[in-house]
Amino acid sequence: MAKVWRRLAALLGVLLALPAAAEWFETTAAIMGTRIHAEVWHEDAATARALLDDVLAEMRRIDTTYSPYIEDSELSRLNREAPNGWTATTPEMIDLLEKSAQVSQLTGGAFDITYASVGRYYDYRKGERPNQAELEAGLEAINWKFVEVDEAAGRVRFAHPLVYVDLGGIAKGYAVDRCIELLRSAGVTQASVAAGGDSRILGDRNGEPWTVGIRDPRHEDAVAVLLPLVDTAVSTSGDYERFFEKDGVRYHHILDPSTGDSARKSWSVTILGPEATFTDALSTSVFVLGPEAGLKLVDALPGIDAIIIDSSGQLRYSADLAEAAGLTNP
Ligand code: ADP
Ligand code: MG
C-alpha cells in the first residue's frame, strides 16, 4: 500500500512539474482617442494579465505626455513655450522630434508635425475648417525645420511664433513599439499590439501567420485585403477615420502641409515594415504624397512595403509585394 502511494506521489510530482499549457490573453481599452487591443501568449495567467496592464499603462503614459489636447502634457507645454525660445525637455521628446524630422527629410516634407499650425483649426466632429486668416497665417508656420532640437543640451525651440506641433502621425506607432519592446523584454515570444490603425506583431500565431485586415475605405464593415503577417509592423491611414463632408468635398485628418487642406490622392494607405513608429509616420506621408510618388519612395526603402487604395478605389502594391503575390499594378 505504501508503495502504491509512493508511486502515486511520484506521478503527481511529475504532473505538477509539467509546464501549464500556455494560452492567449487579451485586453481592449479606449486610449489616445482610439481602440487599443493587445494579445499575448503566456503560460501564466497572472503574469499575462500584469503584462497587459503594463501595456495599457504605457499607452496612457504616452497619451498624457504627447497629447496636444491635454493642457499639462509635455507637448502642450512645448507648444506654449518653445515659440518663445529654447525650452528644456525630455530625452524621449527629443527622440520623437528627431524621428519625425528624419521622416520629414525622407518624404520631402510630406510628413510634417507642424502641419497642426493649420490643422489645429479643424474640428472634424463639428465640421469646422480654418478661416482664411487662420489658414494664411498658419501656412507660414508649417515647416518641420522650424522645430529646432539641441540634443546635447536637451532643449527645443520653434523658430516661428505660430508653430504648433501635433505628434498624432507618429505617437501611436511609437506607443505600439514601446509596448512590443516591453513584452519582448519580459520574455514574450508571441504577441500583437494595436492602437487604432497601427499595429505590430511579435512572432507568429502558434506556427501560423497572423491575419491583419485592411478595411474597405468606403464600406465600414467590409474588408478590402487580408494580409498574412509574421513579426511585422503595419499601419493604415485612411480618409474615413475622422472627416466631414461639405459641398461634396471630404475634409479629413491627413493634411498636405503645403496647402493646409486634406490630402485627396488616396483613400487608404497601408505600410508594412519592421517598426510601427516608422510605418505610422510613413503611412501618413505616403497618403500625402499620393500613389505615384508614394510607391516610388516605398520601393526605394528596403524592408518597407505598401498597399494603397487610390482615389478611384484601385488597389496598388509596392513592387516587392506585387511580385510576391503575383500581382500587377494598373
Ligand atoms: P490615425 O491612425 O490617427 O488615423 P494616421 O497615421 O493616418 O492616423 O495619421 C493621422 C494623424 O497624423 C492626424 O490625426 C494628425 O494628427 C497627423 N497628421 C495629419 N497630417 C499630417 C502630416 N502631413 N504630417 C504629420 N502628421 C500629420
Ligand atoms: Mg500614420
Side-chain angles (χ1 to χ4, degrees), residues 19-262:
E23 277 178 68
W24 287 102
F25 296 88
E26 65 179 313
T27 191
T28 307
I31 308 171
M32 299 198 281
T34 197
R35 179 178 180 265
I36 308 297
H37 183 243
E39 282 179 79
V40 294
W41 176 252
H42 212 282
E43 57 269 355
D44 181 66
T47 309
R49 297 222 171 83
L51 285 170
L52 291 172
D53 285 347
D54 291 348
V55 162
L56 297 184
E58 179 63 0
M59 292 282 183
R60 286 193 190 98
R61 181 189 72 82
I62 290 171
D63 186 33
T64 54
T65 313
Y66 300 104
S67 169
Y69 307 110
I70 298 175
E71 236 182 89
D72 62 355
S73 74
E74 181 66 3
L75 180 62
S76 293
R77 194 178 64 81
L78 282 193
N79 274 329
R80 282 191 300 270
E81 296 176 14
N84 306 323
W86 288 111
T87 308
T89 189
T90 63
E92 187 181 51
M93 175 68 88
I94 292 202
D95 178 48
L96 266 172
L97 295 177
E98 284 179 335
K99 286 194 166 103
S100 299
Q102 282 160 16
V103 179
S104 298
Q105 179 90 56
L106 183 71
T107 62
F111 187 82
D112 189 331
I113 56 176
T114 69
Y115 85 91
S117 310
V118 170
R120 64 188 302 189
Y121 299 112
Y122 283 88
D123 188 322
Y124 300 98
R125 242 170 290 176
K126 292 189 188 149
E128 286 172 5
R129 280 189 285 156
N131 62 37
Q132 199 58 28
E134 288 163 343
L135 180 65
E136 276 170 25
L139 269 178
E140 293 288 313
I142 298 183
N143 187 338
W144 60 276
K145 289 180 181 162
F146 286 152
V147 179
E148 298 181 356
V149 175
D150 178 352
E151 193 193 324
R155 55 187 196 161
V156 172
R157 76 171 166 193
F158 299 164
H160 186 289
L162 296 181
V163 168
Y164 187 85
V165 165
D166 187 328
L167 295 168
I170 193 166
K172 276 183 287 198
Y174 174 72
V176 165
D177 280 340
R178 290 275 307 184
C179 292
I180 285 287
E181 214 36 68
L182 179 162
L183 295 172
R184 197 217 306 269
S185 58
V188 171
T189 55
Q190 296 184 87
S192 83
V193 176
D198 300 294
S199 48
R200 185 162 161 192
I201 284 156
L202 179 64
D204 60 17
R205 212 178 151 83
N206 304 341
E208 298 289 323
W210 293 78
T211 308
V212 175
I214 300 177
R215 220 199 88 168
D216 178 329
R218 291 295 178 267
H219 301 96
E220 197 157 342
D221 293 318
V223 174
V225 185
L226 283 176
L227 301 166
L229 299 175
V230 171
D231 250 326
T232 309
V234 47
S235 293
T236 298
S237 292
D239 67 1
Y240 48 82
E241 288 289 345
R242 262 175 288 155
F243 73 96
F244 61 89
E245 271 174 12
K246 198 157 190 196
D247 304 326
V249 181
R250 179 178 292 236
Y251 295 93
H252 67 87
H253 69 317
I254 302 166
L255 297 194
D256 183 335
S258 66
T259 62
D261 190 12
S262 301

Side-chain angles (χ1 to χ4, degrees), residues 110 218 239 250 252 254 256 258-259 261-269 285-294 308-314 316:
R218 291 295 178 267
D239 67 1
R250 179 178 292 236
H252 67 87
I254 302 166
D256 183 335
S258 66
T259 62
D261 190 12
S262 301
R264 297 201 181 81
K265 290 179 185 159
S266 311
W267 286 353
S268 111
V269 171
S285 313
V286 170
F287 197 105
V288 171
L289 289 170
E292 257 50 74
I308 300 178
I309 301 175
D310 70 18
S311 58
S312 61
Q314 276 285 329
R316 319 266 299 253

